[in-house]
């Protein structure tokens, strides 16, 4: 620690940390542009100048840049001295010389860091008499708007896009005051992290084009804490609403997960919520009815059947799944997942809970210095994790920097020093991934071989030669690679194994488990070494649903069988996605009493007798468990005015109330009245949920007797918005289920992180205000990062997994993850649908040659009776005898990805 | 007079080829140096007090001694020659390269050996086409004669030597911007520390020196420290290439003992002012140095003396301002150049220089206001040393701030008359 003096007051800060970070960390204000807490210092903008006196004998002092100066014991700092505040004033004066001052028509206005810094630096009078420079803007795709005239040349955009996120198509061009930030030519930004430019840019050069479609100022947007539903990582987001429409999604800082950045799917895939395709009415046998009528019919239907099968969903909240399970009874509950996926998730849980493993957050991942990725194309299945993996490969450069005594935050210097030196990253995947470019080793092989490779690594870690059947499966070269990978994992400071469900292979997950066990053994020396592992799971609440599985849980096929005899509730589940088409068709031909809760039309809902429209995640509260076992709550962003659309948990309680007379297990549910009751029910349902109360404060939580407002304190127009209908002000909707209110009045400060989606502090109107909410810059949120780790403490045991040789087949179809796929999140997003690649079947050169297939040929891939026709794409990275097909195929009669990997046949379709 | 740097240059300024160079004892110093322990070479250069001739005047041997050595140290190490001679008014390195290329190559080879570099780059100004041609021929000849490449002169010392013709930016004269440019990046200067000696080209230890600096090396090795120190007539050692441009009778470039007086250079070598013109002021060491005036004519042109007078010796090439040329016009012209050459990295330079350019343009065009002079001074401080990322803007501010000191009446006249009095 270093004791420093700032404007006469004494403070304690971290020795060697840069002074800008130290000063902001103390809660003081110092303007800046180019420095970014996640990207470090480069000293370009000069806005954070401070006066520094080296010690008590130094009377002259020197103007230094806060971001470039390490804190030293005994330093005296003048923040407000005239000389240095003059300097900052000049800095902003010239920065603003060419700025168009178009705040009234700028999308950034009201949340603009440049506005804040201009005020903070006390620049008020324009002295520059020259003309302003102007630039031509570029078309950067459907997501990002470009307005170069506003640029203040802080270089943050390219530093994020290229240096941090590995993008290729954004650069600083030209020079001097003519420096231009853009693409080499007009065109859509390629990076899947491009949306972060909107938040990284301190002014309005890069803005959210999807917000601009129907624009509102930040202060007019109602928002609530939420969790991204796009993948299993559970990034924290802040969806924002005005007049019943979601207008945009921004990053909500979480110190352990997403930090400052989210992926483009998380940011731009929200149109499905506003979609005209949304189901908005209840139907009974295709007849539109009121909610109450539909409920009566539901109760009658279940009552007559005597019992009911419940199909849960990985996309539904813990509360919904658990209530459904309680309502129908354990023996009648089905996860809604195919049996294979259930097995995989059970195995993941087993490895998490029982093996000598350490579950790690994305933040912790970034500290790992040797990563083995087995079978996951992270850029598609968990993009935010891919971004963290990219940062983890920089650990070697930080070590080099330490040796050369360059502070780690000296971003440019550290990158210069390290050049292309990176910590080891072993990418073992089916085909090429964007992360391959920073991988020390890339292996492209079929799932069976990847499994064998994993077991070979484990064997090598234990000093064993691998089993003959493993050696047989592996090509000779891979056996050698397995040894070198094992050696790297053994010697790394903090190794990490990343696996997942994308390839739908239990054996591959077991291979990860075996490596974890072997690594733990190899590295345990007196104390037990717990191997860091992380599994990427299919959906937002896959792990949560897996926690509800027990011995009674019905397998999907079984449930289908039984469902045909009884009533069946489908919770946000499209069963068609998970079954061979014929099986699903047959099932619904016999199920006469299906009840569906669905946001959008799908084939399952189509076949049900009773349809309820489901609330989307921004219209209700719920809890999801991410891939690390972190339970996190999302809240209603706005009150749904449509009486037919009710929260999922409320629907189930309503059914329970109606049916309690005839269904014994419904009785306890019928006593639950509000969301707090549901939370307690979850807490008491199993020991794993014992800490459930800490997920987020309950509805009774108040600050000084006040609720927490969803609307910013400058929210405008509440008396005029509906003046065309009614002049009197509408009463704000009540929210008795959460401590949040649908108003602008309420607790202004000290909101607990789990309840805070508004990043604002006096003088800090942009998202940079997050500085004021952290325990240290870039650290945890003050009060603790939201959520509760359910699978935290355990001893772990020596779990063993055995290798079983996969059946050999001439040609195997495997599933291919795509970020912008053909599911509703992408397809219904007007912006993202333009960025989705067309679906293709990828196959290697040799395979294509053997089958006489040319690039672009339409081919038909058949697995059993199901099939799909896709254009062929010949990709050198795809191993022989393999065809990789998108995992998002689920339209009429198409092959379900749930059946993959599987032996297949390929024929060229006649065009 | 002893003229080690230019003594071999032929009177007609045609190229001294390898054979001729060797006949004039060329490459003997290389042979001698390769027989010495590298550290002895470093110490010799340090003791000789050779100061960097690019303008900063840092002790060359001392700079070399910062390169980490030993088995644990990073490899490869690089040596880079800064031949991006773009300082306004400066044309000294060009003379050395066009006429005696082997002297530079030999100097670089010895220096590379001293710091144990295995690769040397000669970073040449884009417009120096003749130099490029001459140097490439000389490099090829040196390779063929085993003076470069593998196992040089049978000593097991290997040196790869490349000529890099740059894309042409003033900022490439800043050594870390040069390194970035050499790596194929934008020519932005880098943060210091780390200094290039520790983390330079491709992140490896690197020494960058000016052409003239390297040309001194063979002579120090060959004739010894004492001989070299005695060449200077003031506190500095060696000789210096001095140049004069402007309205003098015989502008040009001469090798003279370091510490020769300004008056001698101007009156004896440059022949004095053209008839009918009087000296109004001069920039002693290129466009980015402070003006001095008549009262400074008897000062010795060495680093310390000129600095004490409030300017810098810089490259040692003077630009003369006469009494019939508008000083504001001259300063504006320089400011345009520096604003144009800013890399665009830091705010005071990128946006400060255009701000100042605008003020000077207004004043020169008779649209200035009295308060502009205070604003100009404010801005010179704003762009001053330590406030910017590199030395470009502080250098650019030097002629402006000193013109306000010495030619304030001219500024006021412009403002009061509403026009440039030199034109009307």
């Amino acid at each position: 620690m270093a004791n420093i003096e700032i404007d006469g007051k004494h403070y304690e800060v971290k020795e060697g940390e840069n002074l800008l970070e130290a000063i902001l960390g103390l809660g003081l204000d110092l303007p800046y542009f180019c420095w970014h807490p996640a990207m470090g210092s480069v000293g370009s903008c000069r806005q954070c100048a401070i006066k520094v006196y080296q010690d008590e004998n130094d009377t002259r002092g020197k103007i230094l840049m806060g971001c470039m100066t390490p804190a030293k014991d005994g330093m005296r700092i003048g923040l407000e001295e005239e000389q240095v505040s003059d300097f900052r004033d000049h800095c902003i004066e010239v920065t603003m010389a060419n700025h168009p001052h178009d705040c009234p028509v700028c999308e950034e206005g009201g949340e603009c860091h440049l506005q804040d810094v201009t005020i903070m630096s006390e620049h008020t009078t324009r002295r520059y008499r020259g003309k302003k420079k102007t630039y031509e803007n570029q078309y950067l795709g459907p997501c990002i708007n470009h307005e170069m005239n506003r640029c203040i040349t802080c270089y943050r955009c390219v530093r994020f896009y290229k240096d941090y996120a590995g993008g290729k198509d954004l650069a600083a061009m030209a020079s001097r005051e003519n420096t231009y930030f853009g693409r080499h030519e007009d065109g859509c930004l390629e990076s899947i992290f491009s949306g972060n430019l909107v938040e990284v840019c301190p002014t309005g050069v890069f803005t959210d084009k999807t917000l601009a479609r129907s624009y509102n100022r930040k202060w007019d947007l109602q928002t609530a804490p939420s969790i991204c539903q796009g993948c299993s990582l559970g990034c924290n987001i802040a969806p924002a609403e005005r007049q019943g429409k979601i207008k945009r999604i921004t990053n909500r800082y979480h110190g352990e997960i997403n930090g400052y950045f989210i992926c483009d799917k998380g940011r731009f895939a929200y149109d499905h919520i506003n979609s005209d395709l949304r189901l908005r009415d209840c139907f009974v046998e295709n007849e539109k009815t009121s909610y109450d009528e539909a409920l009566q019919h539901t109760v009658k239907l279940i009552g007559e059947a005597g019992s009911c099968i419940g199909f849960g969903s990985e996309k539904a909240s813990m509360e919904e799944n658990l209530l459904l399970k309680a309502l129908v009874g354990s023996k009648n509950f089905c996860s809604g997942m195919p049996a294979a996926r259930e097995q995989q998730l059970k195995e993941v849980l087993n490895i998490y809970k029982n093996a000598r493993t350490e579950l790690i957050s994305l933040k912790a991942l970034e500290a790992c210095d040797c990563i083995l990725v087995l079978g996951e194309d992270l850029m598609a299945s968990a993009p935010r994790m891919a971004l963290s993996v990219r940062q983890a490969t920089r650990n070697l450069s930080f070590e080099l920097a330490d040796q050369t005594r360059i502070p780690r935050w000296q971003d440019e210097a550290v990158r210069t020093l390290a050049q292309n030196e990176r910590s080891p990253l072993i990418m073992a995947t089916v085909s090429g991934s964007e992360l391959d470019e920073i991988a020390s080793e890339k292996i492209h092989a079929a799932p069976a071989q990847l499994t064998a490779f994993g077991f070979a690594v484990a064997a090598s870690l234990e000093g064993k030669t691998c089993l003959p059947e493993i050696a047989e499966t592996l090509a000779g070269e891979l056996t050698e690679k397995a040894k070198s990978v094992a050696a790297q994992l053994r010697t790394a400071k903090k190794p990490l194994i990343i696996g997942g469900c994308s390839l739908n292979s239990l054996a591959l997950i077991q291979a990860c488990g075996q490596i974890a066990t072997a690594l733990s053994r190899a590295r345990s020396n007196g104390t037990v070494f717990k191997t860091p592992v992380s599994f990427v799971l299919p959906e937002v609440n896959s792990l949560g649903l897996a926690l509800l599985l027990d011995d009674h849980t019905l397998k999907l096929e079984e449930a289908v069988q039984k469902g045909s005899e009884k009533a069946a509730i489908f919770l946000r589940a499209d069963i068609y996605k998970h079954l061979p088409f014929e099986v699903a068709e047959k099932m619904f031909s016999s199920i006469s009493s299906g009840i569906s809760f669905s946001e959008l039309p799908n084939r399952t809902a189509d076949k049900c007798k009773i349809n309820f429209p489901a609330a989307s995640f921004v219209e209700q509260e719920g809890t999801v468990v991410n891939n690390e076992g972190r339970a996190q709550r999302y809240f209603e962003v706005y009150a749904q005015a449509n009486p037919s659309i009710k929260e999922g948990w409320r629907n189930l309680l309503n059914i329970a109330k109606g049916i309690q007379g005839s269904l014994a297990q419904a009785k306890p549910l019928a006593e639950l009245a509000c969301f707090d009751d549901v939370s307690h029910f979850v807490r008491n349902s199993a020991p794993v949920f014992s800490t459930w109360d800490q997920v987020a404060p309950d509805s009774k939580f108040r600050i000084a007797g006040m609720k927490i407002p969803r609307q910013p304190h400058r929210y405008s127009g509440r008396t005029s918005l509906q003046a065309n209908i009614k002049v009197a002000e509408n009463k704000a909707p009540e929210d008795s289920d959460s401590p949040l209110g649908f108003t602008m009045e309420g607790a202004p400060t000290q909101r607990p992180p789990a309840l805070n989606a508004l990043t604002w502090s006096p003088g800090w109107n942009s998202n940079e205000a997050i500085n004021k909410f952290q325990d240290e810059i870039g650290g945890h949120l003050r009060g603790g990062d939201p959520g509760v780790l359910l699978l935290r403490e355990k001893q772990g045991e020596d779990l063993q997994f055995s290798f079983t040789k996969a059946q050999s087949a001439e040609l195997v179809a495997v599933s291919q993850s795509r970020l912008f796929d053909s599911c509703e999140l992408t397809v219904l997003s007007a912006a993202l649908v333009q960025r989705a690649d067309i679906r293709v079947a990828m196959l290697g050169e040799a395979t294509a040659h053997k089958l006489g297939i040319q690039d672009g040929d339409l081919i038909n891939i058949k697995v059993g009776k199901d099939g799909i026709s896709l254009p062929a794409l010949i990709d050198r990275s795809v191993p022989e005898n393999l065809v990789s097909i998108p995992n998002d195929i689920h339209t009429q009669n198409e092959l379900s990805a749930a059946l993959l990997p599987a032996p297949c046949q390929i024929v060229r379709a006649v065009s | 007079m002893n003229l080690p740097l230019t003594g071999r240059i032929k009177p007609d300024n045609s190229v001294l080829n390898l054979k001729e160079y060797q006949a004039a004892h060329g490459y003997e110093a290389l042979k001698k140096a390769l027989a010495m322990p590298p550290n002895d070479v470093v110490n010799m250069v340090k003791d000789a007090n050779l100061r960097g001739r690019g303008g900063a005047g840092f002790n060359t041997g001392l700079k070399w001694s910062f390169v980490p050595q030993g088995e644990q140290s990073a490899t490869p190490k690089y040596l880079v020659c800064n031949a991006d001679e773009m300082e306004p008014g400066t044309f000294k390195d060009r003379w050395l390269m066009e006429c005696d290329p082997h002297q530079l190559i030999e100097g670089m080879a010895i220096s590379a050996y001293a710091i144990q570099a295995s690769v040397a780059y000669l970073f040449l100004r884009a417009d120096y086409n003749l130099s490029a041609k001459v140097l490439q021929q000389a490099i090829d000849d040196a390779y063929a004669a085993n003076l470069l490449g593998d196992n040089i002169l049978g000593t097991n010392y290997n040196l790869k030597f490349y000529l890099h013709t740059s894309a042409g930016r003033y900022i490439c004269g800043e050594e870390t911007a040069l390194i970035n440019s050499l790596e194929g990046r934008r020519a932005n200067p880098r943060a210091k520390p780390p200094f290039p000696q520790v983390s330079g080209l491709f992140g490896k230890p690197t020494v960058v020196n000016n052409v003239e600096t390297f040309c001194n090396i063979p002579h120090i090795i060959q004739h010894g420290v004492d001989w070299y120190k005695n060449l200077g007539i003031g506190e500095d050692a060696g000789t210096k290439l001095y140049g004069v441009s402007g309205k003098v009778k015989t502008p040009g470039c001469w090798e003279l003992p370091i510490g020769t007086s300004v008056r001698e250079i101007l009156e004896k070598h440059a022949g004095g002012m053209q008839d009918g013109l009087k000296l109004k002021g001069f920039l002693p060491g290129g466009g980015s140095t402070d003006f001095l005036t008549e009262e400074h004519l008897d000062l010795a042109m060495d680093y310390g003396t000129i600095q004490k007078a409030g300017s810098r010796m810089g490259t040692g090439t003077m630009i003369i301002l006469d009494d019939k040329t508008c000083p504001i016009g001259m300063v504006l012209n320089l400011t345009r150049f520096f604003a144009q050459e800013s890399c665009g990295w830091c705010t005071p330079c990128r946006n400060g220089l255009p701000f100042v350019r605008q003020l000077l343009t207004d004043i020169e065009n008779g649209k200035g206001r009295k308060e502009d002079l205070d604003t100009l001074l404010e801005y010179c401080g704003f762009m001053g040393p330590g406030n910017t990322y590199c030395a470009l803007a502080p250098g650019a501010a030097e002629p402006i701030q000193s013109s306000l000191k010495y030619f304030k009446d001219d500024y006021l006249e412009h403002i009061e008359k509403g026009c440039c009095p030199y034109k009307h």
Side-chain angles (χ1 to χ4, degrees), chain B residues 29-42 64 69 77 79 106-120 152 155-159 214 221:
Chain B
L30 175 61
K31 210 168 167 183
K32 192 173 165 190
L34 290 177
M36 292 162 64
N39 200 36
D40 287 4
V41 181
V42 175
W64 293 359
Q69 297 292 352
K77 296 176 177 49
L79 184 88
E106 185 182 10
M108 284 178 67
I110 296 168
S111 310
Y113 173 74
I115 63 155
Q116 290 292 291
S118 52
V119 185
I152 295 172
T155 57
N156 277 331
Y157 176 62
N158 306 329
L159 180 67
F214 282 127
I221 300 300

Side-chain angles (χ1 to χ4, degrees), chain A residues 42-47 62-65 68 86-95 97-98 127-131 152-155 159 172-179 404 406 410 412-413 415-419 421, chain B residues 169 180 183 185-186 188 190-194 198-204 339-348 350-352 354-355 357-359 362-363 367-369 372 375 378-379 381-383 386-389:
Chain A
V42 290
S44 148
C45 76
R46 319 307 273 183
Q47 195 63 51
K62 211 177 163 192
I63 290 184
L64 290 175
M65 298 310 128
M68 297 294 272
D86 265 6
F87 178 88
R88 295 196 297 256
D89 185 10
H90 281 97
C91 224
I92 193 74
E93 177 176 33
V94 293
T95 296
N98 288 305
R127 293 191 292 178
Y128 184 63
R129 299 198 291 264
K131 284 184 179 166
I152 56 156
T153 326
C154 70
Y155 291 86
R159 290 182 56 227
M173 289 169 277
S175 63
R176 56 191 162 100
E177 95 239 75
N178 206 26
T179 311
T404 322
I406 299 170
Q410 271 264 27
E412 202 74 41
R415 288 182 191 274
T416 296
L417 178 74
Q419 302 269 324
E421 303 269 356
Chain B
R169 293 288 289 169
N180 267 336
E183 282 185 24
R185 299 168 196 264
R186 292 174 65 79
N188 296 344
R190 291 177 175 176
K192 293 174 282 278
V198 176
S199 172
L201 186 61
F202 303 114
K204 302 295 181 189
Q340 156 79 30
E341 292 299 326
S342 168
C343 77
W345 180 249
C346 77
T347 308
R350 178 187 63 238
N351 295 117
F355 192 102
R357 180 183 60 196
Q358 180 63 36
L359 286 177
D362 280 357
I363 295 169
K367 291 178 192 152
R369 303 171 192 169
D372 290 351
T375 312
E378 267 173 42
Y379 267 87
F382 172 60
M383 301 187 298
N387 295 350
T388 54
Y389 202 76

Side-chain angles (χ1 to χ4, degrees), chain A residues 560-561 564 576 579-591 607:
Chain A
V560 166
Q561 267 299 321
S564 59
Y576 275 80
L579 288 170
F581 181 67
E582 265 190 16
V583 176
E585 281 285 284
K586 203 171 138 203
M587 158 181 157
F588 279 105
S589 67
S590 57
I591 289 185
K607 301 274 169 141

Side-chain angles (χ1 to χ4, degrees), chain B residues 53-72:
Chain B
R53 300 296 196 236
F58 193 77
N59 183 306
T60 305
L62 194 60
K63 190 176 193 177
W64 293 359
S65 69
F66 299 144
V67 176
Q69 297 292 352
E71 276 178 26
Q72 299 294 311

